[in-house]
Amino acid sequence: MGIFIGYAGYYLVRNNVPLVATILRDEHGFSAFGLGVVTNGVLVAYGLSKFFSAIVSDRSSARLFLPIGLALSALANLFIGFVPAVGTSVAFLAVVMIFNGFFQGMGWPPSGRTLVHWFSTSERGSKTAFWNIAHNVGGAGSGALAGAALAWFGGWQSAFWFPGIVGMVIAIIAFFLLRDTPESEGLPPIEEYRNDPAPVEEDAADETASTWETVRRYVLTNATMVKLALANVFVYTLRYGVLVWAPVYLADVRGASLGEGIAGFSLFELAGIPGTLLCGYISDKVFRGRRSPAGITFLIGVFLAVMVYWLSPVEWPLWISYGALVVIGGLIYGPVMLIGLQALDLSPRRVAGTAAGFTGLFGYVLGATLASTGIGLSVDHFGWDVTFMLILACVLLAIGFMYSVGRDEDAMRARRAKALQ
C-alpha cells in the first residue's frame, strides 16, 4: 500500500501543464510548440532520471527514497504555483518542469526495489499488476484534483500548488507505510521464506565488484536486457501513439466532437486497469511466472484491435471506435507492466531497479518521442493510413523482441533449476 499510494501521488504532480494549456496559450501567449517543448522536456528528464535514480535507489532505503522524491516534486509544483514569474516565460516554466521530471524519476525505482524484495517470482506478476494501476489512479486523480482547484480557488496556478500540498501529505503517509527489505525488519529473504528461488542470482565474482561493474555486466552489456529495452521502445510507441492522438484521429477521421475525442482518451486509460490486473494474473497462474508468453498474447490482441480501429468504415457508429480503443487500452498496459517486471525478474536483486530504469529510459526517451513527434510528422506528411501501418509494424517488432527475451528467460530458468538440483 505504501508504494501504491506513494506512486499514485507522483502522478498528481507529474505534468499538470496540459491541464491548463489553453489558459497559458490564451491568457499568457504560450504557443503550441512552446507547450510541446515543456511536455517533451518532462518526458526526457523523467526517462533519464528513471535510469540514474535507479542506480542510487538500489543502494538506498526505499522507505526514504520514494517519499523524498515525491516531496521534491511537490515542491517544484508549489514553486510554479506561488512564483508568478514562472507563468510569463516558456523557458522558465520548462526549466522548472525539467527539474520536476528528474524528481519524478525517483518514484519507480524504489517501488521496483520493494516489489523484488517483498514478493517472490511466482507471485510478483499479480502484485506488480496491482501496484501498476497506481498510475491510472493517479492520472485520473490528477485531472480531478486540478479541476477542483480551479473551481475552488481560480487562477491556473492553483492547478499546481493545490496538488503540491496533497503530494506533500502523501509523501508523509508513504514514509509511515513503507519498509525497505524483509532483512531490515529481521525477516528472511522472500525467496527463502516462500521456497521460490529467483531465476538470476549473483555469483562469487559479484561480491567484490563495484556498482558500475555490476550494472555493466547485468544491464548495459546484457543482451537480454537490451532486447527488453528495445521491446519497450515499440510498446511505448504503441501506448502513447494511440493514446495521445486518439482525440485528433476521432475528430479528423470519425467526425467526433472535442468532448467525444476526450472521452475516447479517458476510456483508453480506464481500460488499462482491468487489463493490467488480468495480464499479471495470467503471467503468474497460466504461464507460471513466464512473462513473455503473456505479453505476446496481449500484443496479438492489440494488433487485431488496431486493425479494427483503423479500418472501420467511416459510416459505422462511433461506439465501434470506442470499443476498439477500450480493447487497445485494456491490452497494451499489460506488456507495459510486464517489461518492467521482466527487468526485475531477470536481474539480481542488487541491480533490479537499475535494470527496470534502463528499459524505462528507452521507453520514455525513444518510444514516447516516436509516439509524439514521429507520429505527428507521419500524419502531416503521409496521412493516417501510412501512420497506422507504422503502428502495426511497431506491434510486430515488439512481439519479435519479446519472443527473443522469452527464449532467454526459459534458458535462464533451466540453468537455475539445474544448478539447484
Side-chain angles (χ1 to χ4, degrees):
M1 292 309 298
I3 59 173
F4 185 96
I5 294 171
Y7 197 63
Y10 271 84
Y11 269 80
L12 298 178
V13 289
R14 172 161 293 187
N15 186 14
N16 291 350
V17 171
L19 301 175
V20 295
T22 55
I23 299 175
L24 292 173
R25 183 192 62 194
D26 297 341
E27 298 181 10
H28 296 274
F30 282 40
S31 67
F33 175 76
L35 292 168
V37 167
V38 175
T39 301
N40 284 339
V42 175
L43 285 174
V44 172
Y46 174 76
L48 292 169
S49 175
K50 189 175 180 180
F51 175 59
F52 291 110
S53 293
I55 297 175
V56 180
S57 174
D58 279 334
R59 300 293 182 274
S60 307
S61 169
R63 189 183 188 191
L64 294 174
F65 204 87
L66 186 147
I68 288 173
L70 178 54
L72 290 171
S73 186
L75 277 174
N77 279 262
L78 289 170
F79 184 83
I80 293 171
F82 290 122
V83 178
V86 177
T88 64
S89 166
V90 170
F92 199 171
L93 180 60
V95 168
V96 179
M97 288 302 296
I98 286 171
F99 272 105
N100 187 42
F102 275 106
F103 299 143
Q104 283 284 320
M106 297 174 67
W108 207 108
S111 298
R113 174 181 169 86
T114 300
L115 289 164
V116 82
H117 278 276
W118 285 94
F119 303 104
S120 65
T121 302
S122 64
E123 63 174 344
R124 203 177 291 148
S126 301
K127 299 301 189 295
T128 302
F130 175 77
W131 165 77
N132 200 69
I133 65 173
H135 80 264
N136 297 93
V137 173
S142 173
L145 206 59
L150 292 169
W152 295 340
F153 308 110
W156 66 268
Q157 294 92 340
S158 65
F160 291 88
W161 64 256
F162 186 58
I165 292 172
V166 175
M168 283 289 189
V169 173
I170 293 176
I172 295 170
I173 294 171
F175 172 77
F176 283 105
L177 289 175
L178 276 167
R179 296 295 183 270
D180 187 35
T181 65
E183 293 90 328
S184 70
E185 300 297 314
L187 299 169
I190 189 64
E191 291 84 3
E192 176 185 320
Y193 176 74
R194 284 180 51 84
N195 190 27
D196 185 14
V200 179
E201 285 293 346
E202 297 180 8
D203 54 34
D206 296 317
E207 297 296 329
T208 57
S210 67
T211 298
W212 171 248
E213 289 170 337
T214 307
V215 169
R216 184 177 59 186
R217 176 183 178 187
Y218 288 106
V219 180
L220 300 180
T221 61
N222 184 327
T224 302
M225 208 58 63
V226 171
K227 287 185 283 189
L228 200 57
L230 291 172
N232 211 30
V233 170
F234 298 110
V235 167
Y236 266 73
T237 303
L238 289 167
R239 172 189 173 185
Y240 285 111
V242 176
L243 173 65
V244 170
W245 294 97
V248 177
Y249 176 73
L250 292 174
D252 289 354
V253 178
R254 301 297 173 194
S257 66
L258 176 62
E260 289 170 334
I262 293 173
F265 181 100
S266 300
L267 287 170
F268 183 100
E269 282 283 13
L270 291 173
I273 295 176
T276 301
L277 293 173
L278 177 62
C279 191
Y281 178 84
I282 289 174
S283 75
D284 274 353
K285 303 302 182 183
V286 177
F287 296 107
R288 300 181 183 276
R290 295 169 65 243
R291 315 303 178 190
S292 288
I296 290 170
T297 301
F298 273 54
L299 284 172
I300 291 171
V302 170
F303 186 94
L304 297 175
V306 169
M307 291 283 287
V308 174
Y309 185 57
W310 167 34
L311 297 175
S312 299
V314 176
E315 60 270 16
W316 284 13
L318 188 60
W319 66 262
I320 293 177
S321 296
Y322 280 164
L325 270 177
V326 166
V327 174
I328 297 169
L331 295 176
I332 194 59
Y333 280 104
V336 168
M337 178 271 297
L338 285 179
I339 288 175
L341 176 56
Q342 279 184 295
L344 299 178
D345 285 347
L346 301 179
S347 56
R349 291 192 301 172
R350 191 152 72 100
V351 293
T354 304
F358 180 69
T359 64
L361 171 67
F362 276 66
Y364 275 95
V365 174
L366 297 178
T369 299
L370 282 173
S372 55
T373 306
I375 286 185
L377 288 172
S378 176
V379 171
D380 284 344
H381 291 284
F382 305 109
W384 283 107
D385 287 340
V386 171
T387 299
F388 273 105
M389 291 178 191
L390 294 174
I391 289 174
L392 291 174
C394 287
V395 181
L396 297 176
L397 287 166
I399 289 173
F401 280 115
M402 290 199 77
Y403 174 76
S404 183
V405 170
R407 295 187 65 180
D408 294 348
E409 181 181 24
D410 292 341
M412 288 180 189
R413 290 179 180 276
R415 288 195 299 269
R416 182 66 174 157
K418 185 177 180 180
L420 292 172
Q421 287 178 352

